[in-house]
Amino acid sequence: MAMRTVLPQNVALRRSVRDFAGVLQQALCAHQADDLETAERLYREVLDLRAAQPDALHYLGVLCHQQGRSDEGVELIRTALKITPRHPDAHNNLGNIHKECGRPAEAEACYRHALACAPDHHNAQGNLAVVLEVQERLDEAFEAYGALLAQAPDDARGHYLMGLFLRNHAQSMEHLEQSAECFRRAFAVDPRSLRALEALGVTLYALKRHDEARQVYRDWLAREPDNPVPRHMLAACGGAEAPSRADDAYVRELFDGFADSFDEQLLKNLDYRAPQVLAAALGEVLRPADGTLDVLDAGCGTGLCAPLVRAHARNLVGVDLSGGMVEKARLRGGYDDLEVAELTSYLQAHPDAYDLVLSADTLVYFGRLEDVLAAAHAALRPDGWLGFTLEAMEGGTADLEITPSGRYRHARRYVEDVLASRGFRDVRIQGDTLRREAGHAVAGWVVLAQRPSDALAS
Ligand SMILES: C[S@@+](CC[C@H](N)C(=O)[O-])C[C@H]1O[C@@H](n2cnc3c(N)ncnc32)[C@H](O)[C@@H]1O
């Protein structure tokens, strides 16, 4: 810095003392505005002025994690905590990094430190409850959610989390009733909490209070006639004609809003196994992993499939309609390329491009499968494999149905017919449980099919 060298030393010193606070303020504003590049530059400027400035270390640590450099983030926050060991927010944020990196025990210790410094830190209390739930210490988790609500009866997140807890672990209708009450309360204290409203509708339907569920969506639509979520959910509850596929706006709205908590919700729902079950089934038909395949993760979400198929891939591409989910996948890493795009259009635009297309828990947002499976066939090279999961519709004569969760269920015979008519062979469908919902196992199909070599196809 040329300016500094021309100033007398004591002036330079005074200037740096005065300036660091202003630069830190600018850094925080840039960080809040999601301008991470500027924020990082400014935090580092503060640290040039004051090497051990704890706030700059702490928030730079948070930023590094947001950019996928979690180890660096942990180190920076630990350094900040050596300087200011009783900083509850820093302990809480360090816990969040551990939580998001799948280290719930370390996260728990951090949240407990935060609460030791500030017993009424609601955020840390809610996070503690979540990581106890993740570790399946359900009694302790229930107590921790209860403590949060006792501390902060107007905390919408607390009511929402308690509602999810009761629904995820429901052992009786009474738990579902209590869960619906929590969602209602979350929405009452914060009318912007639309995820609470959606959760309320789904729970009322699970309680067989169908009219009330429809009314929740009708009221929501009356307030927000352009919102695709209540429109889709009303159809899912039989209150309007079902679309043949969840429309793009609904998927975007749902998953963009969900991206931050998606992994946390899945972590808590330990029975979500679609990526693992699909990868295991593919392992039976693919040659041993030798890093030679061009692979598409279709509907990649936050990227849970990437580590499971990476060893097979020369090139691993993830595609998803939700920019929020793709951003999370980018942070998780493992892909050579990620794209925000609608799946059928993406497949249609990439003929003969892939040796493997896999899609975990994504075609459940498609009703009729003809177009997307034809596009997948065209995007595969001869001998390439397609693997996907669906929710299973057993019995009845219909091809598929939309369910009150907003997803579709498909009949096995329909899936077999569409795959055969689109030119696939060697179709293998096995039943499995892919997740639990409202205390019940959700039955699914794990489907594999191969595009035949050209000689066989003709
Ligand atoms: C339940 S998540 C599953 C994500 C990931 N495959 C996993 O198993 O963790 C479903 C994903 O499908 C995406 N999706 C749904 N419909 C889509 C479409 N038409 N085109 C692209 N992505 C879609 C959603 O945005 C969401 O990220």
Side-chain angles (χ1 to χ4, degrees):
M1 293 191 126
M3 274 294 282
R4 224 189 290 161
T5 54
V6 293
L7 291 170
Q9 212 189 354
N10 62 338
V11 176
L13 203 65
R14 261 187 278 125
R15 189 185 137 70
S16 75
V17 169
R18 231 188 13 252
D19 281 1
F20 93 85
V23 181
L24 181 59
Q25 200 50 43
Q26 286 173 22
L28 290 169
C29 288
H31 199 166
Q32 265 160 3
D34 259 348
D35 181 356
L36 299 190
E37 214 173 292
T38 306
E40 173 156 13
R41 183 175 50 71
L42 292 170
Y43 285 135
R44 292 199 186 280
E45 221 171 272
V46 174
L47 293 172
D48 282 345
L49 294 167
R50 291 198 133 192
Q53 209 293 320
D55 290 331
L57 288 165
H58 166 198
Y59 292 114
L60 180 58
V62 171
L63 183 147
C64 285
H65 168 64
Q66 284 175 298
Q67 291 189 318
R69 291 176 279 142
S70 302
D71 292 348
E72 195 181 340
V74 167
E75 275 321 304
L76 283 161
I77 301 182
R78 281 192 180 139
T79 309
L81 281 168
K82 279 189 194 134
I83 302 157
T84 50
R86 295 196 55 79
H87 195 316
D89 287 343
H91 284 294
N92 184 51
N93 282 329
L94 184 56
N96 287 342
I97 299 182
H98 286 307
K99 169 163 68 92
E100 285 166 29
C101 291
R103 298 187 289 265
E106 282 93 330
E108 177 188 343
C110 294
Y111 297 137
R112 290 197 187 279
H113 281 306
L115 290 165
C117 304
D120 59 352
H121 197 295
H122 306 160
N123 216 310
Q125 181 67 40
N127 290 330
L128 174 65
V130 167
V131 292
L132 290 169
E133 189 182 347
V134 167
Q135 295 174 86
E136 290 198 274
R137 287 153 57 189
L138 299 186
D139 290 343
E140 289 171 80
F142 182 65
E143 222 171 273
Y145 286 123
L148 171 61
L149 292 179
Q151 253 176 33
D154 287 339
D155 185 88
R157 175 180 180 243
H159 289 286
Y160 175 72
L161 289 174
M162 179 64 121
L164 285 183
F165 177 86
L166 289 166
R167 197 173 75 184
N168 282 346
H169 305 286
Q171 282 160 4
S172 64
M173 287 308 236
E174 200 190 336
H175 290 149
L176 286 183
E177 297 280 359
Q178 291 165 351
S179 150
E181 232 8 81
C182 289
F183 294 135
R184 220 184 264 289
R185 183 103 189 93
F187 183 67
V189 293
D190 181 5
R192 290 163 308 167
S193 178
L194 298 180
R195 60 187 183 164
L197 206 52
E198 195 210 354
L200 173 63
V202 170
T203 310
L204 287 172
Y205 205 93
L207 281 163
K208 306 207 183 321
R209 287 154 62 180
H210 296 176
D211 287 343
E212 279 177 75
R214 287 183 202 118
Q215 202 51 48
V216 166
Y217 300 126
R218 284 203 180 98
D219 292 346
W220 184 355
L221 256 183
R223 284 191 305 274
E224 293 183 57
D226 295 331
N227 192 322
V229 175
R231 203 177 330 119
H232 181 87
M233 294 307 286
L234 185 58
C237 285
E241 199 184 326
S244 69
R245 205 192 76 184
D247 87 25
D248 293 357
Y250 165 74
V251 170
R252 245 185 249 117
E253 183 84 16
L254 181 70
F255 284 98
D256 280 353
F258 209 23
D260 281 335
S261 61
F262 185 76
D263 287 358
E264 179 176 299
Q265 297 308 334
L266 288 185
L267 269 178
K268 288 196 291 178
N269 189 346
L270 293 176
D271 301 310
Y272 176 70
R273 306 191 308 131
Q276 287 77 9
V277 169
L278 180 58
L282 284 166
E284 305 278 309
V285 295
L286 297 176
R287 59 176 182 260
D290 58 0
T292 57
L293 304 183
D294 289 328
V295 180
L296 179 70
D297 184 0
C300 61
T302 59
L304 294 178
C305 290
L308 305 173
V309 292
R310 182 65 254 186
H312 289 278
R314 167 176 66 178
N315 192 45
L316 174 60
V317 178
V319 62
D320 200 287
L321 195 46
S322 157
M325 297 294 264
V326 165
E327 210 32 57
K328 291 281 162 187
R330 203 180 302 286
L331 288 181
R332 187 187 295 276
Y335 294 92
D336 298 295
D337 197 11
L338 282 159
E339 278 205 38
V340 178
E342 196 288 311
L343 183 54
T344 308
S345 314
Y346 179 90
L347 291 165
Q348 285 165 345
H350 293 80
D352 287 311
Y354 291 102
D355 305 299
L356 168 63
V357 173
L358 76 152
S359 187
D361 206 33
T362 293
L363 299 191
V364 292
Y365 292 95
F366 288 62
R368 300 215 69 85
L369 296 173
E370 285 80 354
D371 290 349
V372 69
L373 293 183
H377 186 273
L380 282 167
R381 298 188 180 122
D383 292 327
W385 280 95
L386 169 68
F388 56 97
T389 63
L390 294 169
E391 286 187 14
M393 188 173 89
E394 317 248 22
T397 53
D399 293 340
L400 57 104
E401 66 183 1
I402 193 166
T403 73
S405 66
R407 297 188 295 270
Y408 293 82
R409 279 187 203 131
H410 294 86
R412 179 188 193 121
R413 176 204 40 77
Y414 167 70
V415 180
E416 285 167 346
D417 287 352
V418 178
L419 284 167
S421 69
R422 269 36 191 186
F424 285 97
R425 64 147 198 216
D426 205 353
V427 173
R428 305 167 188 210
I429 302 184
Q430 73 199 41
D432 211 322
T433 299
L434 303 176
R435 63 141 58 81
R436 290 181 72 79
E437 210 164 69
H440 296 290
V442 175
W445 303 129
V446 182
V447 185
L448 302 182
Q450 191 175 33
R451 174 175 172 170
S453 61
D454 285 340
L456 274 174
S458 55

